[in-house]
Coordinates of all heavy atoms in Angstrom, one line a residue:
M1454 N 11.2 -5.7 14.1 CA 10.8 -6.9 13.8 C 12.0 -7.9 14.2 O 11.7 -9.0 14.7 CB 10.5 -7.1 12.3 CG 10.0 -8.4 11.9 SD 9.3 -8.5 10.3 CE 10.8 -8.7 9.3
R1455 N 13.2 -7.5 14.1 CA 14.4 -8.3 14.5 C 14.2 -8.6 15.8 O 14.6 -9.8 16.2 CB 15.7 -7.6 14.0 CG 16.8 -8.5 14.4 CD 18.1 -7.7 13.9 NE 19.3 -8.6 13.8 CZ 20.0 -8.7 15.1 NH1 19.8 -8.0 16.0 NH2 21.1 -9.5 14.9
T1456 N 14.0 -7.7 16.7 CA 14.0 -7.9 18.2 C 13.0 -9.0 18.5 O 13.3 -9.9 19.4 CB 13.6 -6.6 18.9 OG1 14.6 -5.6 18.5 CG2 13.6 -6.8 20.4
L1457 N 11.7 -9.0 18.0 CA 10.7 -9.9 18.3 C 11.2 -11.3 17.7 O 11.0 -12.3 18.3 CB 9.4 -9.5 17.7 CG 8.2 -10.4 17.8 CD1 8.0 -10.6 19.5 CD2 6.9 -9.8 17.3
R1458 N 11.7 -11.3 16.5 CA 12.1 -12.5 15.8 C 13.1 -13.3 16.7 O 13.0 -14.5 17.0 CB 12.7 -12.3 14.6 CG 13.2 -13.5 13.7 CD 13.7 -13.3 12.5 NE 14.7 -12.3 12.4 CZ 16.1 -12.7 12.7 NH1 16.4 -13.9 13.1 NH2 17.1 -11.8 12.6
L1459 N 14.1 -12.5 17.2 CA 15.1 -13.0 18.1 C 14.6 -13.4 19.5 O 15.0 -14.6 20.1 CB 16.3 -12.1 18.3 CG 17.1 -11.8 17.1 CD1 18.1 -10.7 17.3 CD2 17.7 -13.0 16.4
A1460 N 13.6 -12.7 20.0 CA 13.0 -13.1 21.2 C 12.2 -14.3 21.0 O 12.1 -15.1 22.0 CB 12.0 -12.0 21.7
Q1461 N 11.7 -14.7 20.0 CA 11.0 -15.9 19.7 C 12.0 -17.0 19.2 O 11.5 -18.1 18.8 CB 9.9 -15.8 18.7 CG 8.7 -15.0 19.3 CD 7.4 -15.1 18.5 OE1 7.4 -15.9 17.4 NE2 6.4 -14.4 18.9
S1462 N 13.2 -16.7 19.1 CA 14.3 -17.7 18.7 C 14.0 -18.2 17.3 O 14.1 -19.3 17.1 CB 14.4 -18.9 19.7 OG 14.7 -18.5 20.9
L1463 N 13.7 -17.3 16.4 CA 13.4 -17.7 15.1 C 14.5 -17.1 14.2 O 15.0 -16.0 14.4 CB 12.0 -17.1 14.6 CG 10.9 -17.5 15.1 CD1 9.6 -16.8 14.7 CD2 10.6 -19.0 14.8
T1464 N 14.9 -17.8 13.2 CA 15.9 -17.4 12.1 C 15.0 -16.6 11.2 O 13.8 -16.8 11.1 CB 16.5 -18.5 11.5 OG1 15.7 -19.3 10.7 CG2 17.4 -19.4 12.5
Q1465 N 15.7 -15.9 10.3 CA 15.0 -15.1 9.2 C 14.3 -16.2 8.3 O 13.3 -15.9 7.8 CB 16.0 -14.3 8.4 CG 16.5 -13.1 9.1 CD 17.4 -12.3 8.4 OE1 18.1 -12.7 7.5 NE2 17.3 -10.9 8.7
E1466 N 15.0 -17.3 8.1 CA 14.5 -18.4 7.2 C 13.3 -19.0 7.8 O 12.2 -19.2 7.0 CB 15.6 -19.5 7.0 CG 16.8 -19.0 6.2 CD 17.9 -18.2 6.9 OE1 17.7 -18.1 8.2 OE2 18.6 -17.6 6.3
Q1467 N 13.2 -19.2 9.1 CA 12.0 -19.7 9.7 C 10.9 -18.8 9.7 O 9.7 -19.1 9.3 CB 12.3 -20.1 11.2 CG 13.2 -21.3 11.3 CD 13.6 -21.6 12.9 OE1 14.0 -20.5 13.5 NE2 13.6 -22.7 13.3
L1468 N 11.2 -17.6 9.9 CA 10.0 -16.5 10.0 C 9.5 -16.4 8.4 O 8.3 -16.3 8.2 CB 10.5 -15.2 10.4 CG 9.5 -14.1 10.4 CD1 8.2 -14.4 11.2 CD2 10.1 -12.7 10.9
A1469 N 10.4 -16.5 7.5 CA 10.0 -16.4 6.1 C 9.1 -17.6 5.8 O 8.0 -17.4 5.2 CB 11.2 -16.4 5.2
E1470 N 9.5 -18.8 6.2 CA 8.7 -20.0 5.9 C 7.3 -19.8 6.7 O 6.3 -20.2 6.0 CB 9.3 -21.2 6.5 CG 8.6 -22.6 6.3 CD 9.3 -23.6 6.9 OE1 10.5 -23.6 7.0 OE2 8.7 -24.8 7.1
Y1471 N 7.3 -19.4 7.9 CA 6.1 -19.4 8.6 C 5.1 -18.3 8.1 O 3.9 -18.5 8.3 CB 6.3 -19.2 10.1 CG 7.1 -20.2 10.8 CD1 7.9 -20.0 12.0 CD2 7.2 -21.6 10.3 CE1 8.6 -20.8 12.5 CE2 8.0 -22.6 11.0 CZ 8.7 -22.2 12.0 OH 9.5 -23.2 12.7
S1472 N 5.6 -17.3 7.6 CA 4.8 -16.1 7.1 C 4.4 -16.2 5.7 O 3.7 -15.5 5.2 CB 5.5 -14.8 7.4 OG 6.8 -14.8 6.8
G1473 N 5.2 -17.1 4.9 CA 4.9 -17.2 3.5 C 5.6 -16.2 2.7 O 5.1 -15.9 1.6
L1474 N 6.5 -15.5 3.4 CA 7.3 -14.4 2.6 C 8.7 -14.9 2.2 O 9.1 -16.1 2.7 CB 7.5 -13.2 3.5 CG 6.2 -12.6 4.0 CD1 6.5 -11.5 5.0 CD2 5.5 -11.9 2.7
S1475 N 9.3 -14.4 1.3 CA 10.7 -14.7 1.0 C 11.7 -14.4 2.1 O 11.4 -13.3 2.8 CB 11.2 -14.2 -0.4 OG 11.4 -12.7 -0.2
V1476 N 12.8 -15.0 2.1 CA 13.9 -14.7 3.2 C 14.4 -13.3 2.7 O 14.7 -12.5 3.7 CB 15.0 -15.7 3.1 CG1 16.2 -15.3 4.0 CG2 14.6 -17.0 3.5
E1477 N 14.4 -13.0 1.5 CA 14.9 -11.7 1.1 C 14.0 -10.5 1.5 O 14.4 -9.4 2.0 CB 15.1 -11.5 -0.4 CG 15.6 -10.2 -0.9 CD 17.0 -9.9 -0.4 OE1 17.7 -10.8 0.0 OE2 17.2 -8.6 -0.2
A1478 N 12.7 -10.8 1.5 CA 11.7 -9.7 2.1 C 11.9 -9.6 3.5 O 11.9 -8.4 4.0 CB 10.3 -10.3 1.8
I1479 N 12.1 -10.7 4.3 CA 12.3 -10.5 5.7 C 13.6 -9.7 5.9 O 13.6 -8.8 6.7 CB 12.4 -11.9 6.4 CG1 11.1 -12.7 6.3 CG2 12.9 -11.7 7.8 CD1 10.0 -12.1 6.9
R1480 N 14.7 -10.0 5.2 CA 15.9 -9.3 5.3 C 15.8 -7.8 5.1 O 16.3 -7.0 5.7 CB 17.0 -9.9 4.5 CG 17.5 -11.3 5.0 CD 18.6 -11.8 4.2 NE 19.1 -13.0 4.7 CZ 19.3 -14.1 4.0 NH1 19.1 -14.2 2.6 NH2 19.6 -15.2 4.6
R1481 N 15.0 -7.5 4.0 CA 14.9 -6.0 3.5 C 14.1 -5.3 4.6 O 14.4 -4.2 5.0 CB 14.3 -6.0 2.2 CG 15.1 -6.5 1.0 CD 14.5 -6.4 -0.2 NE 14.1 -5.0 -0.6 CZ 13.1 -4.6 -1.4 NH1 12.4 -5.7 -1.9 NH2 12.8 -3.4 -1.5
I1482 N 13.2 -5.9 5.1 CA 12.3 -5.2 6.2 C 13.1 -4.9 7.4 O 13.1 -3.8 8.0 CB 11.1 -6.1 6.5 CG1 10.1 -6.2 5.4 CG2 10.4 -5.5 7.8 CD1 8.9 -7.1 5.5
E1483 N 13.9 -6.0 7.8 CA 14.8 -5.8 9.1 C 16.0 -4.8 8.7 O 16.3 -4.0 9.6 CB 15.3 -7.2 9.5 CG 14.3 -8.0 10.1 CD 15.0 -9.3 10.7 OE1 16.1 -9.4 10.8 OE2 14.2 -10.1 11.4
R1484 N 16.6 -5.1 7.6 CA 17.9 -4.3 7.3 C 17.5 -2.9 6.8 O 18.1 -1.8 7.3 CB 18.6 -5.1 6.3 CG 20.0 -4.4 5.9 CD 20.7 -5.1 4.8 NE 19.9 -5.1 3.6 CZ 19.6 -6.1 2.9 NH1 20.2 -7.4 3.3 NH2 18.9 -6.0 1.8
D1485 N 16.7 -2.8 5.9 CA 16.5 -1.5 5.2 C 15.3 -0.7 5.8 O 15.2 0.5 5.4 CB 16.3 -1.6 3.7 CG 17.5 -2.4 3.0 OD1 18.5 -2.2 3.4 OD2 17.2 -3.1 2.1
G1486 N 14.6 -1.2 6.7 CA 13.5 -0.5 7.3 C 12.4 -0.4 6.3 O 11.6 0.5 6.3
L1487 N 12.3 -1.4 5.3 CA 11.3 -1.4 4.2 C 9.9 -1.2 4.9 O 9.6 -1.9 5.8 CB 11.4 -2.6 3.5 CG 10.3 -2.8 2.3 CD1 10.5 -1.8 1.1 CD2 10.3 -4.2 1.8
S1488 N 9.1 -0.4 4.3 CA 7.7 -0.3 4.9 C 6.8 -1.3 4.2 O 6.4 -1.0 3.1 CB 7.2 1.2 4.7 OG 8.0 2.1 5.5
P1489 N 6.5 -2.4 4.9 CA 5.7 -3.4 4.3 C 4.2 -3.1 4.2 O 3.7 -2.1 4.9 CB 5.8 -4.6 5.2 CG 6.1 -4.0 6.6 CD 6.9 -2.7 6.3
S1490 N 3.5 -3.5 3.2 CA 2.1 -3.3 3.1 C 1.4 -4.0 4.2 O 1.9 -4.8 5.0 CB 1.6 -3.9 1.7 OG 1.7 -5.4 1.8
L1491 N 0.1 -3.7 4.3 CA -0.7 -4.4 5.4 C -0.8 -5.8 5.2 O -0.7 -6.6 6.2 CB -2.1 -3.7 5.4 CG -3.0 -4.2 6.5 CD1 -2.4 -4.1 7.9 CD2 -4.4 -3.5 6.5
R1492 N -0.9 -6.2 3.9 CA -1.0 -7.7 3.7 C 0.3 -8.4 4.1 O 0.2 -9.4 4.7 CB -1.2 -7.9 2.2 CG -0.9 -9.3 1.7 CD -2.1 -10.3 2.1 NE -3.2 -10.1 1.2 CZ -4.5 -10.3 1.5 NH1 -4.7 -10.7 2.7 NH2 -5.4 -10.2 0.7
T1493 N 1.3 -7.7 3.9 CA 2.8 -8.3 4.3 C 2.8 -8.3 5.9 O 3.3 -9.2 6.5 CB 3.8 -7.5 3.8 OG1 3.8 -7.6 2.3 CG2 5.2 -8.0 4.2
I1494 N 2.3 -7.2 6.5 CA 2.3 -7.2 8.0 C 1.4 -8.4 8.6 O 1.7 -9.0 9.6 CB 1.8 -5.8 8.5 CG1 2.9 -4.7 8.1 CG2 1.6 -5.9 10.0 CD1 2.4 -3.3 8.3
E1495 N 0.3 -8.6 7.9 CA -0.6 -9.7 8.4 C 0.1 -11.0 8.3 O 0.0 -11.8 9.1 CB -1.8 -9.8 7.5 CG -2.9 -8.7 7.8 CD -4.0 -8.7 6.8 OE1 -3.8 -9.0 5.6 OE2 -5.1 -8.3 7.2
K1496 N 0.9 -11.2 7.2 CA 1.7 -12.5 7.0 C 2.8 -12.5 8.1 O 3.0 -13.6 8.6 CB 2.3 -12.5 5.6 CG 1.3 -12.7 4.4 CD 2.1 -12.7 3.1 CE 1.0 -13.0 2.1 NZ 1.6 -13.0 0.7
I1497 N 3.4 -11.4 8.4 CA 4.4 -11.4 9.4 C 3.8 -11.8 10.8 O 4.4 -12.6 11.5 CB 5.1 -10.0 9.5 CG1 6.0 -9.9 8.2 CG2 6.0 -9.9 10.8 CD1 6.5 -8.4 8.0
A1498 N 2.7 -11.2 11.0 CA 2.0 -11.5 12.3 C 1.7 -13.0 12.4 O 1.9 -13.7 13.4 CB 0.7 -10.7 12.5
R1499 N 1.2 -13.6 11.3 CA 0.9 -15.0 11.2 C 2.2 -15.8 11.4 O 2.1 -16.8 12.1 CB 0.2 -15.3 9.9 CG -0.6 -16.6 9.8 CD -1.4 -16.8 8.7 NE -1.8 -15.6 8.1 CZ -1.7 -15.2 6.8 NH1 -1.0 -15.9 6.0 NH2 -2.1 -14.1 6.4
G1500 N 3.3 -15.3 10.8 CA 4.5 -16.1 11.1 C 5.0 -16.1 12.5 O 5.6 -17.0 12.9
F1501 N 4.6 -15.0 13.2 CA 5.0 -14.9 14.7 C 3.9 -15.6 15.6 O 4.0 -15.7 16.8 CB 5.1 -13.5 15.1 CG 6.4 -12.9 14.7 CD1 6.3 -11.7 14.0 CD2 7.6 -13.4 15.1 CE1 7.6 -11.0 13.8 CE2 8.8 -12.7 14.8 CZ 8.8 -11.5 14.1
R1502 N 2.9 -16.1 14.9 CA 1.6 -16.6 15.7 C 1.0 -15.4 16.5 O 0.7 -15.7 17.7 CB 2.0 -17.8 16.5 CG 2.4 -18.9 15.7 CD 2.5 -20.1 16.6 NE 3.1 -21.3 15.9 CZ 3.5 -22.4 16.6 NH1 3.4 -22.5 17.8 NH2 3.9 -23.4 15.9
L1503 N 0.9 -14.2 16.0 CA 0.4 -13.2 16.8 C -0.7 -12.6 16.0 O -0.8 -12.6 14.8 CB 1.5 -12.2 17.0 CG 2.7 -12.5 17.8 CD1 3.6 -11.3 17.9 CD2 2.3 -13.0 19.2
S1504 N -1.7 -11.9 16.7 CA -2.7 -11.1 16.1 C -2.0 -9.8 15.6 O -0.9 -9.4 16.2 CB -3.8 -10.8 17.0 OG -3.4 -10.0 18.0
L1505 N -2.6 -9.1 14.7 CA -2.2 -7.9 14.3 C -2.1 -6.9 15.5 O -1.1 -6.0 15.7 CB -3.0 -7.3 13.2 CG -2.9 -7.7 11.8 CD1 -3.8 -7.0 10.8 CD2 -1.4 -7.3 11.3
G1506 N -3.1 -7.0 16.4 CA -3.2 -6.1 17.6 C -2.0 -6.3 18.4 O -1.3 -5.3 19.0
T1507 N -1.5 -7.5 18.6 CA -0.4 -7.8 19.6 C 0.9 -7.4 18.8 O 1.8 -6.9 19.5 CB -0.4 -9.3 19.9 OG1 -1.5 -9.8 20.5 CG2 0.8 -9.7 20.7
L1508 N 1.0 -7.6 17.6 CA 2.2 -7.1 16.8 C 2.3 -5.6 16.9 O 3.5 -5.1 17.1 CB 2.1 -7.5 15.3 CG 3.3 -7.3 14.4 CD1 4.6 -8.1 15.1 CD2 3.1 -7.6 13.1
F1509 N 1.2 -4.9 16.7 CA 1.3 -3.5 16.8 C 1.6 -3.0 18.2 O 2.2 -2.0 18.3 CB 0.0 -2.8 16.3 CG -0.1 -2.8 14.7 CD1 -1.3 -3.4 14.1 CD2 0.9 -2.4 13.9 CE1 -1.4 -3.3 12.7 CE2 0.8 -2.3 12.6 CZ -0.3 -2.8 11.9
T1510 N 1.0 -3.7 19.1 CA 1.2 -3.3 20.5 C 2.8 -3.4 20.8 O 3.4 -2.6 21.5 CB 0.4 -4.2 21.5 OG1 -0.9 -4.0 21.3 CG2 0.9 -4.0 22.9
F1511 N 3.3 -4.5 20.4 CA 4.8 -4.6 20.4 C 5.6 -3.6 19.8 O 6.4 -2.9 20.4 CB 5.3 -6.0 19.9 CG 6.8 -6.1 19.8 CD1 7.5 -6.4 21.0 CD2 7.5 -5.9 18.7 CE1 8.8 -6.6 21.0 CE2 8.9 -6.0 18.6 CZ 9.6 -6.3 19.8
Y1512 N 5.1 -3.2 18.6 CA 5.8 -2.0 17.9 C 5.6 -0.7 18.6 O 6.7 0.0 18.9 CB 5.2 -1.9 16.5 CG 5.7 -0.8 15.6 CD1 7.0 -0.9 15.1 CD2 5.0 0.4 15.5 CE1 7.6 0.1 14.4 CE2 5.6 1.4 14.8 CZ 6.9 1.2 14.2 OH 7.4 2.4 13.5
V1513 N 4.5 -0.4 19.2 CA 4.3 0.8 19.8 C 5.0 0.8 21.2 O 5.6 1.9 21.5 CB 2.7 1.1 19.9 CG1 2.4 2.3 20.9 CG2 2.1 1.3 18.6
Q1514 N 4.9 -0.2 22.0 CA 5.4 -0.3 23.3 C 6.9 -0.5 23.3 O 7.6 -0.2 24.4 CB 4.7 -1.3 24.2 CG 3.3 -0.8 24.5 CD 2.6 -1.8 25.3 OE1 3.1 -3.0 25.6 NE2 1.4 -1.5 25.6
G1515 N 7.4 -1.2 22.3 CA 8.7 -1.5 22.2 C 9.2 -2.7 23.1 O 10.3 -3.0 23.5
Q1516 N 8.0 -3.4 23.6 CA 8.3 -4.6 24.4 C 7.2 -5.6 24.2 O 6.1 -5.2 23.8 CB 8.4 -4.2 26.0 CG 7.2 -3.7 26.6 CD 7.5 -3.1 27.9 OE1 8.5 -2.9 28.4 NE2 6.4 -2.9 28.6
R1517 N 7.5 -6.8 24.6 CA 6.5 -7.9 24.4 C 5.5 -7.8 25.4 O 5.8 -7.5 26.6 CB 7.3 -9.2 24.5 CG 8.3 -9.4 23.3 CD 9.0 -10.8 23.5 NE 8.3 -11.9 23.2 CZ 8.6 -13.1 23.3 NH1 9.9 -13.4 23.8 NH2 7.9 -14.1 23.0
D1518 N 4.3 -8.2 25.1 CA 3.2 -8.4 25.9 C 2.9 -10.0 26.0 O 2.2 -10.4 25.2 CB 2.0 -7.7 25.6 CG 0.9 -7.7 26.5 OD1 0.8 -8.7 27.4 OD2 0.0 -6.8 26.6
L1519 N 3.7 -10.6 27.0 CA 3.5 -12.1 26.9 C 2.2 -12.6 27.2 O 1.8 -13.6 26.6 CB 4.5 -12.7 28.0 CG 6.0 -12.4 27.7 CD1 6.9 -12.9 28.8 CD2 6.4 -12.9 26.4
A1520 N 1.4 -11.9 27.9 CA 0.0 -12.3 28.3 C -0.8 -12.3 26.9 O -1.6 -13.4 26.5 CB -0.7 -11.5 29.2
R1521 N -0.7 -11.3 26.0 CA -1.3 -11.3 24.8 C -0.8 -12.2 23.8 O -1.6 -12.9 23.0 CB -1.1 -9.9 24.1 CG -2.0 -8.7 24.8 CD -1.8 -7.4 24.1 NE -2.5 -7.6 22.7 CZ -3.2 -6.7 22.2 NH1 -3.3 -5.5 22.8 NH2 -3.7 -6.8 20.9
E1522 N 0.5 -12.5 23.9 CA 1.1 -13.6 23.0 C 0.5 -14.9 23.3 O 0.2 -15.7 22.5 CB 2.5 -13.5 23.1 CG 3.2 -12.3 22.5 CD 4.7 -12.4 22.4 OE1 5.3 -13.5 22.3 OE2 5.4 -11.4 22.6
L1523 N 0.2 -15.2 24.7 CA -0.3 -16.4 25.1 C -1.7 -16.5 24.6 O -2.1 -17.6 24.1 CB -0.1 -16.5 26.6 CG -0.7 -17.8 27.3 CD1 0.0 -19.0 26.7 CD2 -0.6 -17.8 28.7
I1524 N -2.5 -15.5 24.8 CA -3.8 -15.5 24.3 C -3.8 -15.8 22.7 O -4.6 -16.6 22.2 CB -4.6 -14.2 24.5 CG1 -4.7 -14.1 26.0 CG2 -5.9 -14.1 23.8 CD1 -5.2 -12.8 26.6
D1525 N -3.0 -15.1 22.0 CA -2.9 -15.4 20.5 C -2.6 -16.8 20.2 O -3.2 -17.4 19.2 CB -1.8 -14.4 19.9 CG -2.3 -12.9 19.9 OD1 -3.4 -12.7 20.2 OD2 -1.4 -12.2 19.6
L1526 N -1.7 -17.4 20.9 CA -1.4 -18.8 20.8 C -2.5 -19.7 21.0 O -2.8 -20.6 20.2 CB -0.1 -19.2 21.6 CG 0.3 -20.7 21.5 CD1 0.7 -21.0 20.1 CD2 1.3 -21.0 22.6
L1527 N -3.3 -19.4 22.0 CA -4.4 -20.2 22.4 C -5.5 -20.3 21.4 O -6.2 -21.2 21.2 CB -4.8 -20.0 23.9 CG -3.9 -20.3 24.9 CD1 -4.5 -19.7 26.3 CD2 -3.7 -21.8 25.1
T1528 N -5.6 -19.1 20.8 CA -6.7 -18.9 19.8 C -6.4 -19.8 18.5 O -7.4 -20.1 17.7 CB -6.9 -17.6 19.3 OG1 -5.8 -16.9 18.7 CG2 -7.3 -16.6 20.5
T1529 N -5.2 -20.2 18.4 CA -4.9 -21.1 17.3 C -5.0 -22.6 17.5 O -4.8 -23.4 16.7 CB -3.6 -20.9 16.7 OG1 -2.5 -21.2 17.6 CG2 -3.3 -19.4 16.4
R1530 N -5.3 -23.0 18.8 CA -5.3 -24.3 19.2 C -6.8 -24.9 19.3 O -7.7 -24.2 19.3 CB -4.7 -24.5 20.6 CG -3.4 -23.9 20.9 CD -2.4 -23.9 19.7 NE -2.1 -25.3 19.5 CZ -1.3 -25.7 18.5 NH1 -0.7 -25.0 17.7 NH2 -1.0 -27.0 18.2
T1531 N -6.8 -26.1 19.4 CA -8.2 -26.9 19.4 C -8.7 -26.7 20.8 O -8.0 -26.4 21.8 CB -8.0 -28.4 19.1 OG1 -7.3 -29.0 20.2 CG2 -7.3 -28.7 17.8
P1532 N -10.1 -26.9 20.9 CA -10.6 -26.7 22.3 C -10.0 -27.8 23.3 O -9.8 -27.4 24.5 CB -12.1 -27.0 22.0 CG -12.4 -26.6 20.7 CD -11.1 -27.0 19.9
E1533 N -9.6 -28.9 22.8 CA -9.0 -29.9 23.8 C -7.7 -29.5 24.2 O -7.3 -29.5 25.3 CB -8.8 -31.3 23.1 CG -10.2 -31.9 22.8 CD -10.9 -31.3 21.5 OE1 -10.3 -30.6 20.7 OE2 -12.1 -31.6 21.4
E1534 N -6.9 -28.8 23.3 CA -5.6 -28.3 23.7 C -5.7 -27.1 24.7 O -4.9 -27.0 25.6 CB -4.8 -27.9 22.4 CG -4.3 -29.1 21.6 CD -3.8 -28.6 20.2 OE1 -4.3 -27.6 19.6 OE2 -2.8 -29.3 19.8
V1535 N -6.6 -26.3 24.5 CA -6.9 -25.1 25.3 C -7.2 -25.7 26.7 O -6.7 -25.1 27.7 CB -8.0 -24.2 24.8 CG1 -8.3 -23.1 25.8 CG2 -7.5 -23.6 23.5
Q1536 N -8.2 -26.8 26.7 CA -8.4 -27.3 28.0 C -7.2 -27.8 28.8 O -7.1 -27.6 29.9 CB -9.5 -28.4 27.9 CG -9.9 -29.1 29.1 CD -10.6 -28.2 30.1 OE1 -11.5 -27.4 29.7 NE2 -10.3 -28.3 31.3
R1537 N -6.4 -28.5 28.1 CA -5.2 -29.1 28.6 C -4.2 -28.0 29.2 O -3.7 -28.0 30.3 CB -4.4 -30.0 27.7 CG -4.9 -31.4 27.5 CD -3.9 -32.3 26.9 NE -3.4 -31.8 25.6 CZ -3.8 -32.2 24.5 NH1 -4.8 -32.9 24.3 NH2 -3.3 -31.7 23.3
A1538 N -4.2 -26.9 28.4 CA -3.3 -25.7 28.8 C -3.9 -25.0 30.0 O -3.1 -24.7 30.9 CB -3.2 -24.6 27.6
Q1539 N -5.2 -25.0 30.1 CA -5.8 -24.4 31.3 C -5.5 -25.3 32.5 O -5.2 -24.8 33.5 CB -7.4 -24.3 31.2 CG -8.0 -23.7 32.4 CD -9.5 -23.8 32.3 OE1 -10.1 -24.7 31.6 NE2 -10.2 -22.8 33.0
E1540 N -5.7 -26.7 32.4 CA -5.3 -27.5 33.5 C -3.9 -27.4 34.0 O -3.7 -27.4 35.2 CB -5.6 -29.0 33.0 CG -7.1 -29.3 32.9 CD -7.4 -30.5 32.1 OE1 -6.5 -31.3 31.8 OE2 -8.5 -30.8 31.8
V1541 N -3.0 -27.3 33.0 CA -1.6 -27.1 33.4 C -1.3 -25.8 34.1 O -0.7 -25.9 35.2 CB -0.7 -27.2 32.2 CG1 0.7 -26.7 32.4 CG2 -0.7 -28.5 31.6
L1542 N -2.0 -24.7 33.6 CA -1.8 -23.4 34.3 C -2.4 -23.3 35.7 O -1.8 -22.9 36.7 CB -2.4 -22.3 33.4 CG -1.7 -22.0 32.2 CD1 -2.4 -21.0 31.3 CD2 -0.2 -21.4 32.5
L1543 N -3.7 -24.0 35.8 CA -4.3 -24.0 37.1 C -3.4 -24.9 38.1 O -3.2 -24.5 39.2 CB -5.6 -24.6 37.0 CG -6.6 -23.7 36.3 CD1 -8.1 -24.5 36.1 CD2 -6.9 -22.5 37.2
A1544 N -2.8 -26.0 37.6 CA -2.0 -26.8 38.5 C -0.7 -26.1 38.9 O -0.3 -26.1 40.1 CB -1.6 -28.1 37.8
M1545 N -0.1 -25.2 38.0 CA 1.2 -24.4 38.2 C 0.8 -23.5 39.3 O 1.7 -23.1 40.1 CB 1.6 -23.8 36.9 CG 2.3 -24.7 36.0 SD 2.8 -24.0 34.5 CE 3.8 -22.5 35.1
F1546 N -0.3 -22.8 39.2 CA -0.7 -21.6 40.0 C -1.7 -22.0 41.2 O -2.2 -21.1 41.8 CB -1.1 -20.5 39.2 CG -0.1 -20.0 38.3 CD1 -0.4 -20.1 36.9 CD2 1.1 -19.5 38.6 CE1 0.5 -19.7 35.9 CE2 2.0 -19.1 37.7 CZ 1.7 -19.3 36.4
A1547 N -1.8 -23.2 41.5 CA -2.7 -23.6 42.6 C -2.2 -23.1 43.9 O -1.0 -23.1 44.1 CB -2.8 -25.2 42.6
R1548 N -3.1 -22.6 44.7 CA -2.7 -22.3 46.1 C -2.4 -23.4 46.9 O -3.2 -24.4 46.8 CB -3.9 -21.4 46.7 CG -4.2 -20.2 45.9 CD -5.3 -19.5 46.5 NE -5.6 -18.3 45.7 CZ -6.6 -17.6 45.8 NH1 -7.4 -17.7 46.9 NH2 -6.8 -16.5 45.0
E1549 N -1.4 -23.3 47.6 CA -1.0 -24.4 48.6 C -2.0 -24.3 49.8 O -2.3 -23.2 50.2 CB 0.4 -24.1 49.1 CG 1.3 -24.2 47.8 CD 2.6 -24.8 48.1 OE1 2.8 -25.4 49.1 OE2 3.5 -24.8 47.2
P1550 N -2.3 -25.4 50.3 CA -3.2 -25.5 51.5 C -2.7 -24.9 52.8 O -1.5 -24.8 52.9 CB -3.5 -27.0 51.7 CG -2.7 -27.7 50.7 CD -2.0 -26.7 49.9

């Protein structure tokens, strides 16, 4: 969890706030390897703005799946925001004539 938290440039305090957990709970999970309940894992995933599937994929593979993280982020946005993101991505990757 620490690796993902640092990769997202989050402090323990920020992750605690975003996930609705205490800072102490975040510290214990990171430091002591505390085995959190499924409910706590769901909260942690929410704090990272990830689906449970993406969080578990990171845990199993030991590396981030940025495409899945982007999809997870887009699922939390409004249709208008998704449309703008699509326009930006299409402009970034447009083929040159």
Side-chain angles (χ1 to χ4, degrees):
M1454 187 169 83
R1455 181 177 191 271
T1456 303
L1457 182 58
R1458 179 178 59 76
L1459 294 175
Q1461 289 195 4
S1462 301
L1463 295 174
T1464 65
Q1465 289 179 331
E1466 291 78 11
Q1467 288 170 316
L1468 180 57
E1470 178 183 341
Y1471 300 155
S1472 62
L1474 298 170
S1475 68
V1476 175
E1477 183 58 29
I1479 299 297
R1480 287 187 181 132
R1481 288 181 58 208
I1482 293 167
E1483 286 189 3
R1484 181 185 61 229
D1485 302 331
L1487 175 72
S1488 296
S1490 67
L1491 183 56
R1492 169 71 83 207
T1493 299
I1494 294 170
E1495 288 174 328
K1496 289 179 179 183
I1497 290 167
R1499 200 170 328 125
F1501 282 128
R1502 293 187 189 172
L1503 300 176
S1504 67
L1505 276 175
T1507 302
L1508 185 63
F1509 284 129
T1510 297
F1511 172 78
Y1512 177 75
V1513 170
Q1514 293 179 353
Q1516 62 185 19
R1517 295 174 74 185
D1518 184 336
L1519 296 177
R1521 284 185 71 141
E1522 288 184 38
L1523 180 59
I1524 292 167
D1525 289 350
L1526 176 63
L1527 289 172
T1528 61
T1529 67
R1530 311 316 302 175
T1531 67
E1533 293 79 18
E1534 290 171 321
V1535 172
Q1536 177 65 40
R1537 280 197 309 260
Q1539 180 187 28
E1540 291 167 3
V1541 169
L1542 289 171
L1543 289 174
M1545 285 177 55
F1546 300 116
R1548 295 183 187 169
E1549 302 215 6

